[in-house]
Every structure is written in structure tokens, then in C-alpha cells.
């Protein structure tokens, strides 16, 4: 194979990034056909596992019971997360007290009869807070004794809650330092279990942050290597560089690579396994590219400790695994590969909606992620010469199915520290032999815990989670062991019915603005080529009065980022031009208003579609004339499209039919909304398309005619927008484009009898 395997995989990775689930899922289901003969045996084993777990005596530190007591869909669960955020992040006592009073006094904490000190202590602290603060908030009746409790209560409450949160922290963090974590690891009662240590933190924001994380990883590798316990290290690339993002490929290939290589070289000297953790979907290709660079580095050859985590909820999971298999064979190594279901689902869904993508990079149904996981597990087990499979799961059905297909191949399970230990104890007991598993063990101070803790609780606190269900004995075992392959195959629509695609998040009223998928290299390169092609020709922005482009003195416009580069020319209006535009706008406004809100709304909707069709041209002008970055220009463009669709929808809803008002019997009172006349819209330069379009569109939607004056710095962007609005159907007599000096034209605007 060539030196760049990732380049061969880019087309399929691009194709699968946002692929329709109704296209992709049948393919994954077909991959799982070979599991059917093992289904009955897997269900029997899973049933035994669950029954074994439920027969175990509850531990004093059982997070499962807390998740059942305080579901994240309940007021208590939400308040608990608020408290965690407050107490682990806020540095000063006064602010902590204020937030505790605000969030805790209105919540009723249910008393628990469970014999679980962890849960009961948390409940006691939360109840104490709520009751005392509720007493404080009463206007009367609490007297001297109440005042005394209130005065003594705040430090007591704060201490109790902090201790409760730290108790939760200890549940998830093996130690605040690597030495403490290793010492705690030695106390682990299961000698067949190993650990993978991860430094707590959610990514470097500065070079100093990255240096601190690097030092922590380096110290950990030396400590774990010297301990000789068979443990490993997990590394987050985002912790080692503040600009680990698709926009900075050169810095990833040089600066970030250098840091990761140094850590891997130290780990190789100890024959220590290092796993590159999976992060957000827009970082998949950069991470695979960097991973290939590491695998091809001569200094790391012959080392089978270079590992990678792959997320099953991503639509490119199988392609990522195929890449790993091909890379392993090409570099003659075995790659430890951790298959996880994924930890950023909620943010992936939200980001796709906010950024206006065509679809989601992750599956919208949990069952489909389970199918993807099983398909990935089969693929990993089919390549024992290339992959050492590591299956991260807390789900009994998933573990049981893997046990049916693993055969005599080498493998291990993985679980999070503080969760899932009862699953693997029960599995080992049922099988009559120890099951090899590795504990993913975060290390770090509790004030770095919050984001990790929130992800864990969101993953496992939902009532669809196996971890949640296993602790609730009211849920029948059979319900917990549904076959995800059969369930998913029976779905007529693989997309979750309650999760609209990003273009449809605003419902029937309007469509979301389209945003190109910039993190994807092939899509990004095409957009950039279209932009560059448009910029080859100089652009001219001339006044447009009553549909006619005017002539005049041409002024050369230069790129503000490079004053040597001419973009084209612009022509300013004269005061006579503006006066004529005012008169035409006045005479055409009435017919535009009579057209009705629904008809105007359709025109503005067509304009939005035209804007999107001409996105490369508009973005090109925003970048060059406005001096904006590509992402900033796209944001400006999308806001303009949203304005067009929003005001178009408002026109149809508010300006088409009258609103009937209440009144005395026998009277019929109606409210009609109408245009007022001629509006002068003067836009600034900082959002040359969005603000210009938003001002004009709002006035047009309401039935007014518009004199649109762009900023002197950005007439070209506005000129292109006006041409598209005319093309969409806005009458040329209703919308006029009047570039020019504000000091010269302002007096005409203000003193005109038509404004």
C-alpha cells in the first residue's frame, strides 16, 4: 500500500459522514445476519448475568442505586447536576451559597429506604439543604429558632453537599494523582483485571494547558511502566494541543504529532499499551491521519502497544475499523482497538442542528448503535492478525453475544471505573472462569471531574440505559434483553421519530439554513474550489434603481487582508439617484402591500433557496470584501438565509388574514397588519450579508418598499444579495440598491417626504 492509507479511505469516509440511516442501517443489519444462530444462547447467558447481578448484595458505593433514585428526567436529577456544577466549579463561598439557595430550596428530595450509605448520605445532604433553605424563604413563621438554623445552616449545608459531590467523584476517579491511583489499583480485589489510566480534563485551551497535560501523561507513563501491573494509558489528543481541529492540519501533523510521538516512544520502552481516545466526529479523520503517521514511524515499529478507540454510534464506525485493519497489516503490527458505543451523542446531535448539516454523523436510535457495535465486534474478531479487540460495554446482552462469537481468540472487555464491576463479576461466576477486562480509570483532582461526570450520568442515567435498568428490579429481565438486531430490522423508519433532521428542526413553518460540512476534507475542498473560481473574475457593484444598473465613477475595491489584491469596482449613487429611488418606491409600495403576506412569504422563501444555491459566490464576497474567515463568512451567510425564511413565514402568518378581536355582542372587530410605506435600511459592515438582508427582508415581509444602503466597505456583498432578491420575485420598483457615502446620502434619506 501507499504511504498514505488515509487518502484512500477519504472517499468512503466522506460518503458515510452524514449518510441516511435508512440507507446505512440495512447494510449493518446484513453484517449481523451471522449472529442469528447465537441469539438464543446469548439470551440465556445474559439472563443468567442479570439474575446474578440482582442477587448480589448492594454495595455501599453503588452508583446504580443513585441513578434510579435521582433519574435525570426528574427535578431531583436536574437539581443534582446543578449542585455538582456549582460546587465543583465556583471558587468563592458567597457565590456557592447564592446558587445553592436558588437551586436547592425548591426541590423535594425523596427519602430512600435502600440500605445504601452512598445514596442515603447524598439524599440526607440534599434534603437538609432543601428543607433549611425552604424554611429561610418563608415570609413568616420561622422565628428565632429558624433564624438560628439559617445562620448555622449555610456552612453546614455547603460542607455536606461538597462531601456528597466528592463522594460521587471518588466513585468515578481512581485517584487524584497517578501514584494514588496505582496504590488504589493494587487494592483491587480482582487480580485478572487491568486498568487504563486517563488524565481528567476536557482539552487544552492554551499551550500552557497542553504542556501541563503532557507532563501529566509523561509522569503517568513512567509510573505505570515501573509498576509492571499490565496496565495501560489512554490519551486524549485534544489535551495535548489547543488547536487540535480540522482547521489546523499542519499544526496537527507537526506540533501535536511530536508530542504524541514522544509519549509513545516512552511507552514503547516500557512495552506499555497506549490508546488514543475517540473524541468528536469532526476529529475522526485528523485522528486517523495522525494515527497512521505514528504507526509508520520507524522508531515505533515492532511495538504492538499503539492502540485506538473507535465509537460505534458514529456512522463511519465500520470504515474506521477497516482502516485500522488495513493499517495494521500494512505496518505489520497488531493494533489494540477499543470499541466503545460513544460518549458525545447529545453534543453531536446539537452541533449538527446548530450548524445546519444535512443529517447527523451519529445514529439517532440506541438500538442502531447496538447493531453497529455488534457489526464492529464481528469485524474486529475477523482480523486476529491485525487487531487485539477490546470491547467496552456495561450491557449484559452485548457482553453475552460477544462471548458466543469470540471463540478462542484473544480479547478483553473494558468498563468504566465505578461502573459495571458487578456485570463482569456475574459473567465470570456464570462461566466459572475469570473474564479478562480492563478498567478505564480517570485520574485527577475533583475540580476537573464535572464534564466527565456529566457525560457518565447522561449516558447511564437515562431510563433506556442498561446500567439504569439493571438497578431497577421493577423492570423485567426480558425487557432488558431485547434483541437490537431484530428490533431495528422491524423498524419501518430507522431515523428516530422524535429527532428531526437538522434541516427540519423548525417544523413545517420554515427550513433551517444549510451549513456545509467543513470538517470533511472532500466537501471542504469542493467549496473552496468553487469560491476560488468565482473570484477569478473582477466584480462590479453598481446602484440598482427601478431594476436598472446605473453608471458612474468606478472606484477600485481592495481585499482588506491584502491591499495589493483588487476585487473589482463599485459605483456610488448621487443624491438625484436616491431621490428617484424614493419616488419609485413610494408609488410601487401599495401594490406590494396588496399582494398579501402569503405571496410575499413565498417570494422570500424562493430568495432563501437562491441564496443557498449561490452560497459559494456569497461566501467568496464576504471572505474577500469583508475580510472574514471561511467559517465566519458561512455563519453570516446562514444568518441571512434564516432571516429570509423567518420573516417570510411571519409574513404569511401575520399579514395574510385579519386577527379577530373580542368585543361586545353584535360587533365584529378585526386587526389588519399592513405596510407603512418606504423604509430606508442602512447596514453596517461587520455582518455585510446578514444584517443587510435582515433589515431589508423584515421591511419587505411587512409590505413596505425598501431603499437599501450597504456599508461603504462592503457594497459587493449587498449588490449580489439584491440581484438574488429581484430574481426571486421582489419587484424591482420595491427594492432599490443605493451604495454611497452616508454623509452625502443621509440628508436625502432623512428629509424625503416619502420616509
Amino acid at each position: 500500500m501507499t504511504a498514505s492509507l488515509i487518502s484512500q479511505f477519504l472517499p468512503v469516509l466522506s460518503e458515510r459522514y452524514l449518510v441516511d440511516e435508512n440507507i446505512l442501517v440495512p447494510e449493518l443489519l446484513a453484517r449481523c445476519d451471522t449472529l442469528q444462530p447465537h441469539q438464543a444462547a446469548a439470551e440465556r447467558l445474559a439472563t443468567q448475568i442479570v439474575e446474578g447481578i440482582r442477587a448480589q448484595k448492594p454495595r455501599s458505593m453503588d452508583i446504580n442505586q443513585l441513578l434510579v433514585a435521582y433519574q435525570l428526567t426528574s427535578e431531583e436529577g436536574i437539581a443534582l447536576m446543578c449542585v455538582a456544577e456549582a460546587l465543583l466549579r465556583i471558587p468563592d463561598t458567597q457565590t456557592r451559597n447564592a446558587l445553592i439557595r436558588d437551586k436547592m430550596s425548591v426541590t423535594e428530595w425523596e427519602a430512600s429506604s435502600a440500605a445504601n450509605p452512598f445514596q442515603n448520605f447524598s439524599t440526607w445532604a440534599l434534603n437538609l439543604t432543601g428543607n433549611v433553605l425552604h424554611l429561610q424563604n418563608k415570609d413568616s413563621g420561622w422565628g428565632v429558632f429558624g433564624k438560628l438554623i439559617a445562620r448555622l445552616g449555610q456552612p453546614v449545608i455547603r460542607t455536606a453537599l461538597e462531601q456528597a459531590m466528592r463522594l460521587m467523584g471518588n466513585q468515578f476517579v481512581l485517584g487524584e494523582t497517578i501514584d494514588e491511583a496505582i496504590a488504589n489499583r493494587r487494592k483491587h480485589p480482582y487480580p485478572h483485571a487491568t486498568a487504563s489510566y486517563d488524565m481528567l480534563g476536557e482539552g487544552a485551551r492554551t499551550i500552557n494547558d497542553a504542556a501541563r497535560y503532557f507532563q501529566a501523561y509523561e509522569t503517568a507513563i513512567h509510573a505505570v511502566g515501573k509498576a509492571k501491573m499490565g496496565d495501560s494509558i489512554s490519551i486524549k489528543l485534544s489535551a495535548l494541543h489547543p488547536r487540535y481541529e480540522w482547521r489546523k492540519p499542519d499544526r496537527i501533523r507537526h506540533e501535536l504529532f511530536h508530542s504524541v510521538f514522544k509519549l509513545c516512544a516512552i511507552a514503547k520502552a516500557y512495552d506499555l499499551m497506549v490508546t488514543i481516545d475517540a473524541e468528536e466526529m469532526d476529529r475522526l479523520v485528523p485522528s486517523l491521519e495522525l494515527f497512521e503517521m505514528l504507526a509508520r514511524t520507524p522508531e515505533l515499529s515492532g511495538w504492538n502497544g499503539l492502540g485506538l478507540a473507535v465509537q460505534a454510534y458514529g456512522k463511519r464506525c465500520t470504515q474506521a475499523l477497516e482502516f485500522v485493519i488495513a493499517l495494521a497489516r500494512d505496518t505489520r503490527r497488531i493494533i489494540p482497538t477499543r470499541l466503545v458505543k460513544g460518549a458525545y451523542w447529545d453534543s453531536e446531535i446539537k452541533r449538527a442542528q446548530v450548524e445546519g448539516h444535512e443529517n447527523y454523523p451519529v445514529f439517532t436510535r440506541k438500538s442502531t448503535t447496538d447493531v453497529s457495535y455488534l457489526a464492529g465486534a464481528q469485524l474486529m474478531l475477523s482480523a486476529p492478525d491485525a487487531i487485539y479487540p477490546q470491547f467496552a460495554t456495561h450491557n449484559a446482552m452485548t457482553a453475552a453475544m460477544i462471548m458466543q462469537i469470540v471463540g478462542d481468540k484473544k480479547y478483553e472487555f473494558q468498563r468504566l471505573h465505578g461502573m459495571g464491576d458487578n456485570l463482569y463479576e456475574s459473567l465470570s461466576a456464570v462461566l466459572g472462569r475469570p473474564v479478562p477486562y480492563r478498567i478505564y480509570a480517570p485520574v485527577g483532582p475533583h475540580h476537573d471531574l464535572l464534564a466527565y461526570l456529566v457525560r457518565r450520568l447522561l449516558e447511564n442515567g437515562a431510563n433506556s440505559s442498561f446500567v439504569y435498568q439493571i438497578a431497577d428490579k421493577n423492570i423485567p429481565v426480558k425487557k432488558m434483553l431485547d434483541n437490537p438486531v431484530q428490533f431495528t430490522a422491524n423498524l419501518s423508519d430507522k431515523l428516530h421519530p422524535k429527532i428531526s433532521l437538522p434541516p427540519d428542526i423548525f417544523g413545517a413553518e420554515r427550513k433551517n439554513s444549510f451549513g456545509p460540512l467543513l470538517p470533511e476534507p472532500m466537501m471542504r475542498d469542493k467549496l473552496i474550489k468553487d469560491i476560488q473560481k468565482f473570484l477569478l473574475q473582477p466584480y462590479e457593484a453598481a446602484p440598482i434603481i427601478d431594476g436598472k444598473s446605473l453608471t458612474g465613477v468606478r472606484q477600485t475595491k481592495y481585499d482588506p487582508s491584502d491591499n495589493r489584491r483588487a476585487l473589482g469596482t463599485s459605483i456610488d449613487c448621487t443624491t438625484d439617484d436616491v431621490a428617484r429611488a424614493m419616488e419609485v418606491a413610494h408609488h410601487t409600495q401599495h401594490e406590494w402591500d396588496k399582494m398579501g403576506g402569503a405571496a410575499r412569504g413565498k417570494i422570500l422563501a424562493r430568495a432563501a433557496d437562491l441564496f443557498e444555491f449561490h452560497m459559494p459566490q456569497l461566501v467568496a464576497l464576504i471572505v474577500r470584501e469583508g475580510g472574514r474567515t471561511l467559517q465566519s463568512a458561512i455563519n453570516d451567510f446562514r444568518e441571512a438565509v434564516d432571516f429570509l425564511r423567518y420573516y417570510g413565514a411571519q409574513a404569511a402568518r401575520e399579514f395574510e388574514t385579519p386577527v379577530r378581536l373580542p368585543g361586545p355582542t353584535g360587533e365584529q372587530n378585526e386587526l389588519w397588519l399592513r405596510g407603512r410605506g418606504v423604509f430606508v435600511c442602512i447596514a453596517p459592515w461587520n455582518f455585510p450579508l446578514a444584517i443587510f438582508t435582515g433589515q431589508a427582508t423584515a421591511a419587505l415581509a411587512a409590505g413596505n418598499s425598501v431603499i437599501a444602503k450597504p456599508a461603504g466597505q462592503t457594497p459587493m456583498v449587498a449588490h449580489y444579495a439584491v440581484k438574488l432578491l429581484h430574481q426571486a420575485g421582489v419587484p424591482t420598483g420595491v427594492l432599490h440598491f443605493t451604495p454611497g457615502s452616508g454623509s452625502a446620502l443621509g440628508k436625502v434619506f432623512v428629509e424625503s417626504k416619502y420616509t
Side-chain angles (χ1 to χ4, degrees):
M1 291 188 180
T2 65
S4 178
L5 184 67
I6 187 62
S7 62
Q8 299 178 34
F9 275 80
L10 279 181
V12 68
L13 289 170
S14 173
E15 176 190 344
R16 297 299 180 94
Y17 201 137
L18 302 178
V19 65
D20 187 338
E21 288 178 78
N22 287 304
I23 295 174
L24 176 58
V25 174
E27 177 189 314
L28 295 176
L29 290 169
R31 286 176 177 263
C32 293
D33 283 345
T34 55
L35 298 177
Q36 185 56 37
H38 304 287
Q39 184 61 36
E43 288 181 4
R44 287 194 297 271
L45 177 57
T47 300
Q48 291 176 290
I49 295 171
V50 173
E51 290 173 346
I53 293 172
R54 288 185 168 177
Q56 293 174 9
K57 182 180 178 181
R59 292 176 171 79
S60 61
M61 292 285 286
D62 192 347
I63 194 67
N64 302 340
Q65 298 297 329
L66 189 70
L67 291 174
V68 172
Y70 302 131
Q71 301 175 40
L72 295 185
T73 54
S74 68
E75 289 185 7
E76 297 98 321
I78 294 170
L80 186 61
M81 298 311 299
C82 290
V83 174
E85 182 172 13
L87 297 180
L88 294 177
R89 292 286 187 177
I90 298 175
D92 64 288
T93 300
Q94 183 178 358
T95 307
R96 289 185 188 183
N97 290 342
L99 194 138
I100 289 171
R101 285 197 303 272
D102 179 55
K103 297 297 182 185
M104 302 299 294
S105 61
V106 296
T107 302
E108 294 292 334
W109 299 94
E110 294 184 2
S112 172
S113 59
N116 184 338
F118 176 49
Q119 178 186 336
N120 286 338
F121 180 74
S122 300
T123 302
W124 172 81
L126 297 169
N127 262 319
L128 172 64
T129 303
N131 290 336
V132 172
L133 292 176
H134 181 67
L135 188 63
Q136 283 182 271
N137 290 337
K138 288 185 177 180
D139 293 332
S140 60
W142 50 293
V144 176
F145 184 67
K147 291 179 181 179
L148 180 61
I149 294 176
R151 289 177 62 188
L152 297 177
Q154 284 193 359
V156 173
I157 291 165
R158 189 173 64 252
T159 301
L161 283 172
E162 286 175 346
Q163 187 60 31
M165 292 302 108
R166 294 188 188 283
L167 200 59
M168 288 185 69
N170 290 332
Q171 175 73 10
F172 290 100
V173 179
L174 190 56
E176 294 203 55
T177 66
I178 188 62
D179 291 333
E180 181 184 341
I182 291 174
N184 290 335
R185 161 82 176 86
R186 292 185 189 277
K187 302 172 187 175
H188 197 282
Y190 313 113
H192 53 278
T194 53
S196 182
Y197 301 96
D198 173 45
M199 304 301 107
L200 269 180
E202 290 303 304
R205 295 294 178 265
T206 66
I207 290 295
N208 289 339
D209 287 342
R212 178 168 53 85
Y213 280 120
F214 179 89
Q215 183 62 51
Y217 281 126
E218 184 179 31
T219 300
I221 290 172
H222 282 298
V224 175
K226 291 174 182 177
K228 299 184 183 300
M229 299 169 65
D231 294 340
S232 61
I233 294 289
S234 294
I235 291 177
K236 286 192 292 290
L237 297 180
S238 61
L240 293 173
H241 202 287
R243 300 307 300 271
Y244 170 46
E245 55 190 70
W246 62 266
R247 298 175 183 85
K248 301 294 179 181
D250 290 338
R251 297 190 71 177
I252 292 173
R253 293 173 189 139
H254 297 96
E255 298 169 15
L256 179 56
F257 169 79
H258 180 70
S259 296
V260 181
F261 166 72
K262 286 177 66 176
L263 295 175
C264 288
I266 299 170
K268 181 188 176 185
Y270 288 107
D271 195 23
L272 186 71
M273 185 192 304
V274 169
T275 299
I276 306 298
D277 258 336
E279 299 187 64
E280 295 84 354
M281 288 292 106
D282 61 357
R283 287 170 163 163
L284 177 62
V285 169
S287 70
L288 295 181
E289 181 181 3
L290 185 141
F291 190 81
E292 180 178 0
M293 292 173 63
L294 292 168
R296 295 190 184 280
T297 301
E299 293 86 344
L300 300 181
S301 63
W303 175 47
N304 287 332
L306 179 62
L308 185 70
V310 177
Q311 295 169 314
Y313 71 4
K315 293 178 177 178
R316 298 174 291 175
C317 173
T318 53
Q319 285 67 47
L321 290 172
E322 287 169 349
F323 167 83
V324 172
I325 292 170
L327 180 63
R329 289 170 176 164
D330 197 35
T331 57
R332 294 181 174 84
R333 68 171 69 233
I334 292 177
I335 296 178
T337 305
R338 177 194 298 154
L339 184 62
V340 302
K341 293 191 178 176
Y344 303 90
W345 183 87
D346 52 330
S347 61
E348 296 288 358
I349 294 292
K350 187 68 174 179
R351 183 181 295 113
Q353 293 174 346
V354 170
E355 295 183 358
H357 296 159
E358 294 175 307
N359 210 307
Y360 296 109
V362 295
F363 297 110
T364 55
R365 292 182 185 265
K366 179 183 178 298
S367 67
T368 311
T369 295
D370 291 339
V371 170
S372 175
Y373 191 97
L374 293 173
Q378 284 195 110
L379 182 58
M380 292 165 66
L381 290 170
S382 72
D385 62 314
I387 279 183
Y388 171 59
Q390 301 169 308
F391 302 110
T393 182
H394 297 143
N395 187 296
M397 191 66 206
T398 302
M401 180 57 77
I402 288 172
M403 293 307 302
Q404 303 308 310
I405 62 176
V406 71
D408 59 356
K409 299 180 180 71
K410 292 183 178 180
Y411 75 99
E412 68 180 47
F413 286 107
Q414 294 196 4
R415 68 169 179 85
L416 297 171
H417 171 63
M419 303 182 74
D421 49 345
N422 51 7
L423 168 66
Y424 292 105
E425 287 178 46
S426 181
L427 176 58
S428 297
V430 171
L431 296 176
R433 66 178 188 275
V435 173
Y437 69 86
R438 190 176 301 269
I439 303 165
Y440 186 86
V443 178
H446 289 148
H447 61 73
D448 286 336
L449 171 67
L450 178 65
Y452 177 84
L453 176 65
V454 169
R455 282 208 307 275
R456 298 290 82 86
L457 292 179
L458 285 174
E459 288 168 14
N460 300 292
N463 58 17
S464 61
S465 163
F466 181 86
V467 173
Y468 167 84
Q469 292 180 347
I470 192 67
D472 189 348
K473 295 185 179 181
N474 294 319
I475 298 177
V477 174
K478 184 174 178 57
K479 181 179 178 181
M480 298 171 55
L481 304 180
D482 285 341
N483 179 356
V485 176
Q486 182 179 347
F487 177 84
T488 304
N490 291 337
L491 295 170
S492 58
D493 188 355
K494 311 308 181 188
L495 178 72
H496 196 291
K498 293 186 178 180
I499 303 177
S500 300
L501 289 175
D504 304 324
I505 59 173
F506 298 119
E509 184 176 79
R510 63 186 173 99
K511 183 181 175 184
N512 190 14
S513 57
F514 168 73
L517 190 62
L518 293 183
E520 204 293 302
M522 298 186 73
M523 298 182 190
R524 180 173 70 247
D525 291 346
K526 182 182 183 305
L527 174 61
I528 291 174
K529 286 179 182 177
D530 290 342
I531 289 173
Q532 291 171 337
K533 181 179 178 181
F534 174 74
L535 291 173
L536 290 175
Q537 300 297 323
Y539 191 86
E540 180 173 287
I544 304 175
I545 308 298
D546 200 12
K548 298 181 178 63
S549 293
L550 305 185
T551 59
V553 178
R554 289 181 171 84
Q555 305 171 57
T556 302
K557 304 293 290 184
Y558 292 94
D559 185 340
S561 68
D562 184 351
N563 289 330
R564 298 167 298 179
R565 183 161 52 198
L567 304 179
T569 59
S570 67
I571 299 172
D572 285 350
C573 275
T574 65
T575 54
D576 290 340
D577 296 332
V578 171
R580 186 158 61 88
M582 289 282 199
E583 186 173 356
V584 174
H586 170 71
H587 290 300
T588 56
Q589 183 268 330
H590 182 64
E591 288 301 316
W592 174 247
D593 187 35
K594 278 178 58 180
M595 182 183 290
R600 293 195 299 272
K602 289 179 180 178
I603 290 173
L604 296 179
R606 282 200 297 272
D609 293 342
L610 280 172
F611 271 45
E612 289 189 336
F613 184 79
H614 289 262
M615 180 187 67
Q617 293 82 2
L618 287 167
V619 168
L621 290 172
I622 297 169
V623 168
R624 281 292 170 83
E625 188 183 35
R628 307 286 283 274
T629 64
L630 180 60
Q631 183 64 68
S632 178
I634 288 171
N635 294 344
D636 191 11
F637 156 79
R638 291 191 60 225
E639 188 174 356
V641 174
D642 281 332
F643 275 137
L644 285 163
R645 291 191 174 129
Y646 173 78
Y647 287 124
Q650 293 297 306
R653 188 173 69 182
E654 303 290 346
F655 288 83
E656 180 64 18
T657 57
V659 177
R660 179 165 293 185
L661 302 177
T665 302
E667 286 188 13
Q668 181 173 318
N669 300 303
E670 294 179 336
L671 172 65
W672 288 82
L673 298 179
R674 295 294 190 192
R676 300 301 301 271
V678 180
F679 274 56
V680 176
C681 298
I682 303 174
W685 63 270
N686 55 327
F687 289 91
L689 184 62
I691 295 180
F692 178 86
T693 303
Q695 289 177 329
T697 301
L700 291 169
N704 303 291
S705 55
V706 171
I707 308 297
K709 181 200 170 303
Q713 298 91 333
T714 53
M716 295 179 178
V717 177
H719 179 266
Y720 204 101
V722 168
K723 290 202 304 180
L724 292 178
L725 285 163
H726 285 158
Q727 185 180 339
V730 176
T732 57
V734 169
L735 173 62
H736 306 266
F737 178 64
T738 58
S741 166
S743 59
L745 304 182
K747 186 175 182 180
V748 183
F749 291 145
V750 172
E751 295 182 353
S752 172
K753 63 181 179 180
Y754 300 121
T755 56

